[in-house]
Amino acid sequence: MDSVYSSFCPECNKKNTEIVLDHAAGDTICSECGLVLEDRCLDEGCEWRIFTDDNNDNDPKRVGAAIDPLLSNSNLSTFISTSNRGGATAVSDSVLNSSLARFQNHKLSANNDNLIKGFEAIQAMADGLSIQKNIVIRAKEIYKKIDDERQCRGRNQSAVFGACLFIACREVKLPRTLKEISVVANGSTKKEINRASEQIKKTLDVETGTLHAGDLVRRFCSHLGMKNQEISVVQETLQKSEELDIRRSPKSVLAAIIYMISQLSDNKKPIQDISSAAEVAEGTIKKSYKDLYPYASRIIPNRYANEEQVLQKLCQP
């Protein structure tokens, strides 16, 4: 059984309630109250069938692909049959019909060729960064829109695919940095991806807002294996640091705070590891740490470390 999200359940009157799809029974069930919302649901996944006379062969062969709402029905092509019966006239008609069939089939599939290649590339990039499915779907939607507008022709396609993924991540508040995207973008540089993303945002009138360091806290800390309590302290410290006049980039301030909280914990992290996780140079982290150090006892929550502990455990910049 799979879980999805419904817009509304009439029994418990709860919007965006989680529902469960029971494929065996064909029922759609509200997880809150157990009401059967629908007693017939269609499985749009891939079909499987065995094409062999040997009943002991359990190797399934795929029949068709899963339905993709972003693609046209290119698999429903009409093929014109040809025949050589009926003399020279029939042969001439056969050649004509064969040409028409090739033209028709090419026309039906040509519109989807670019989309399929783009979708596959976006999926490969997302897999390389372990990006969740809803972000991938949004990135594909963005690519389809700019492909329909023919705004991506003549550009570095890998940069365009990376830009679509970059924008989708920013929209759902789970941002990835340009450096992370460029690693899986088949050689495209951060500059190329940024240019492509700016062009896409201008074309589609998309607003992604500015990158906030708070959106990166959990991911950076998770890469370092920090505990939930430490992550919560980093988030609170970061919020208090915004009241200070620290003229550093949000990422460098965040990296310095992670380094600061790490020193106060029992599980200290080397600055090299923090530099790698946050993608900030060690020298930059040290400079940001030097700017934050005078305010350490003010921005670090007392429940985690009092002023005396801060002064004892934090190293001098």
Side-chain angles (χ1 to χ4, degrees), residues 4 35 68 72 163 178 183 203 210 217 244-245 280:
V4 295
L35 177 69
D68 190 337
S72 303
L178 286 171
V183 170
T203 301
T210 57
V217 171
L244 306 176
D245 186 20
V280 179

PDB file of all heavy atoms in Angstrom, residues 4 35 68 72 163 178 183 203 210 217 244-245 280:
ATOM      1  N   VAL A   4      -0.313   8.731  -0.170  1.00  0.00           N
ATOM      2  CA  VAL A   4      -0.264   9.981  -0.938  1.00  0.00           C
ATOM      3  C   VAL A   4      -1.004  11.039  -0.121  1.00  0.00           C
ATOM      4  O   VAL A   4      -1.381  10.798   1.016  1.00  0.00           O
ATOM      5  CB  VAL A   4      -0.908   9.813  -2.339  1.00  0.00           C
ATOM      6  CG1 VAL A   4      -0.111   8.852  -3.170  1.00  0.00           C
ATOM      7  CG2 VAL A   4      -2.339   9.326  -2.203  1.00  0.00           C
ATOM      8  N   LEU A  35     -12.215   6.275   6.577  1.00  0.00           N
ATOM      9  CA  LEU A  35     -13.259   6.338   5.569  1.00  0.00           C
ATOM     10  C   LEU A  35     -12.708   5.939   4.202  1.00  0.00           C
ATOM     11  O   LEU A  35     -11.627   6.372   3.802  1.00  0.00           O
ATOM     12  CB  LEU A  35     -13.833   7.754   5.501  1.00  0.00           C
ATOM     13  CG  LEU A  35     -14.909   7.999   4.420  1.00  0.00           C
ATOM     14  CD1 LEU A  35     -16.188   7.248   4.783  1.00  0.00           C
ATOM     15  CD2 LEU A  35     -15.183   9.484   4.274  1.00  0.00           C
ATOM     16  N   ASP A  68       3.354   9.119 -17.866  1.00  0.00           N
ATOM     17  CA  ASP A  68       3.978  10.378 -17.463  1.00  0.00           C
ATOM     18  C   ASP A  68       3.091  11.518 -17.946  1.00  0.00           C
ATOM     19  O   ASP A  68       2.980  11.759 -19.150  1.00  0.00           O
ATOM     20  CB  ASP A  68       5.376  10.507 -18.075  1.00  0.00           C
ATOM     21  CG  ASP A  68       6.160  11.666 -17.489  1.00  0.00           C
ATOM     22  OD1 ASP A  68       5.516  12.594 -16.970  1.00  0.00           O
ATOM     23  OD2 ASP A  68       7.403  11.636 -17.534  1.00  0.00           O
ATOM     24  N   SER A  72       3.401  13.702 -24.064  1.00  0.00           N
ATOM     25  CA  SER A  72       2.254  13.400 -24.912  1.00  0.00           C
ATOM     26  C   SER A  72       2.170  11.890 -25.083  1.00  0.00           C
ATOM     27  O   SER A  72       3.101  11.157 -24.782  1.00  0.00           O
ATOM     28  CB  SER A  72       2.415  14.076 -26.281  1.00  0.00           C
ATOM     29  OG  SER A  72       2.574  15.470 -26.122  1.00  0.00           O
ATOM     30  N   ALA A 163      19.938  23.902 -13.909  1.00  0.00           N
ATOM     31  CA  ALA A 163      19.222  25.109 -13.473  1.00  0.00           C
ATOM     32  C   ALA A 163      17.788  24.783 -13.084  1.00  0.00           C
ATOM     33  O   ALA A 163      17.263  25.326 -12.106  1.00  0.00           O
ATOM     34  CB  ALA A 163      19.247  26.153 -14.587  1.00  0.00           C
ATOM     35  N   LEU A 178      24.894  25.936  -5.874  1.00  0.00           N
ATOM     36  CA  LEU A 178      25.339  25.821  -7.267  1.00  0.00           C
ATOM     37  C   LEU A 178      26.508  24.848  -7.387  1.00  0.00           C
ATOM     38  O   LEU A 178      26.631  24.135  -8.386  1.00  0.00           O
ATOM     39  CB  LEU A 178      25.735  27.199  -7.795  1.00  0.00           C
ATOM     40  CG  LEU A 178      24.589  28.167  -8.110  1.00  0.00           C
ATOM     41  CD1 LEU A 178      25.135  29.544  -8.417  1.00  0.00           C
ATOM     42  CD2 LEU A 178      23.759  27.650  -9.283  1.00  0.00           C
ATOM     43  N   VAL A 183      28.446  19.650  -9.635  1.00  0.00           N
ATOM     44  CA  VAL A 183      29.169  18.378  -9.513  1.00  0.00           C
ATOM     45  C   VAL A 183      28.511  17.284 -10.356  1.00  0.00           C
ATOM     46  O   VAL A 183      29.188  16.420 -10.906  1.00  0.00           O
ATOM     47  CB  VAL A 183      29.245  17.949  -8.031  1.00  0.00           C
ATOM     48  CG1 VAL A 183      29.767  16.521  -7.895  1.00  0.00           C
ATOM     49  CG2 VAL A 183      30.149  18.892  -7.254  1.00  0.00           C
ATOM     50  N   THR A 203      12.145  34.146 -17.891  1.00  0.00           N
ATOM     51  CA  THR A 203      11.196  33.682 -18.899  1.00  0.00           C
ATOM     52  C   THR A 203       9.875  33.252 -18.281  1.00  0.00           C
ATOM     53  O   THR A 203       8.799  33.592 -18.778  1.00  0.00           O
ATOM     54  CB  THR A 203      11.802  32.494 -19.689  1.00  0.00           C
ATOM     55  OG1 THR A 203      13.021  32.910 -20.310  1.00  0.00           O
ATOM     56  CG2 THR A 203      10.832  32.001 -20.752  1.00  0.00           C
ATOM     57  N   THR A 210      15.648  34.719  -1.791  1.00  0.00           N
ATOM     58  CA  THR A 210      17.080  34.639  -1.494  1.00  0.00           C
ATOM     59  C   THR A 210      17.377  33.402  -0.655  1.00  0.00           C
ATOM     60  O   THR A 210      16.523  32.921   0.095  1.00  0.00           O
ATOM     61  CB  THR A 210      17.541  35.887  -0.726  1.00  0.00           C
ATOM     62  OG1 THR A 210      16.756  36.019   0.473  1.00  0.00           O
ATOM     63  CG2 THR A 210      17.365  37.132  -1.584  1.00  0.00           C
ATOM     64  N   VAL A 217      20.891  24.356   7.422  1.00  0.00           N
ATOM     65  CA  VAL A 217      21.395  23.874   8.713  1.00  0.00           C
ATOM     66  C   VAL A 217      21.309  22.366   8.837  1.00  0.00           C
ATOM     67  O   VAL A 217      22.304  21.682   9.109  1.00  0.00           O
ATOM     68  CB  VAL A 217      20.635  24.543   9.878  1.00  0.00           C
ATOM     69  CG1 VAL A 217      21.014  23.880  11.201  1.00  0.00           C
ATOM     70  CG2 VAL A 217      20.947  26.028   9.933  1.00  0.00           C
ATOM     71  N   LEU A 244      23.167  40.609  14.728  1.00  0.00           N
ATOM     72  CA  LEU A 244      24.486  41.232  14.784  1.00  0.00           C
ATOM     73  C   LEU A 244      24.876  41.792  13.424  1.00  0.00           C
ATOM     74  O   LEU A 244      24.354  41.386  12.384  1.00  0.00           O
ATOM     75  CB  LEU A 244      25.530  40.196  15.231  1.00  0.00           C
ATOM     76  CG  LEU A 244      25.234  39.453  16.540  1.00  0.00           C
ATOM     77  CD1 LEU A 244      26.308  38.398  16.786  1.00  0.00           C
ATOM     78  CD2 LEU A 244      25.159  40.424  17.711  1.00  0.00           C
ATOM     79  N   ASP A 245      25.806  42.672  13.425  1.00  0.00           N
ATOM     80  CA  ASP A 245      26.306  43.268  12.183  1.00  0.00           C
ATOM     81  C   ASP A 245      27.562  42.510  11.745  1.00  0.00           C
ATOM     82  O   ASP A 245      28.684  43.020  11.807  1.00  0.00           O
ATOM     83  CB  ASP A 245      26.608  44.754  12.393  1.00  0.00           C
ATOM     84  CG  ASP A 245      26.999  45.446  11.085  1.00  0.00           C
ATOM     85  OD1 ASP A 245      26.679  44.898  10.020  1.00  0.00           O
ATOM     86  OD2 ASP A 245      27.638  46.513  11.143  1.00  0.00           O
ATOM     87  N   VAL A 280      32.759  25.668   2.443  1.00  0.00           N
ATOM     88  CA  VAL A 280      33.348  26.970   2.778  1.00  0.00           C
ATOM     89  C   VAL A 280      34.813  26.740   3.126  1.00  0.00           C
ATOM     90  O   VAL A 280      35.142  25.792   3.853  1.00  0.00           O
ATOM     91  CB  VAL A 280      32.622  27.633   3.972  1.00  0.00           C
ATOM     92  CG1 VAL A 280      33.264  28.962   4.319  1.00  0.00           C
ATOM     93  CG2 VAL A 280      31.146  27.824   3.653  1.00  0.00           C
TER      94      VAL A 280
END
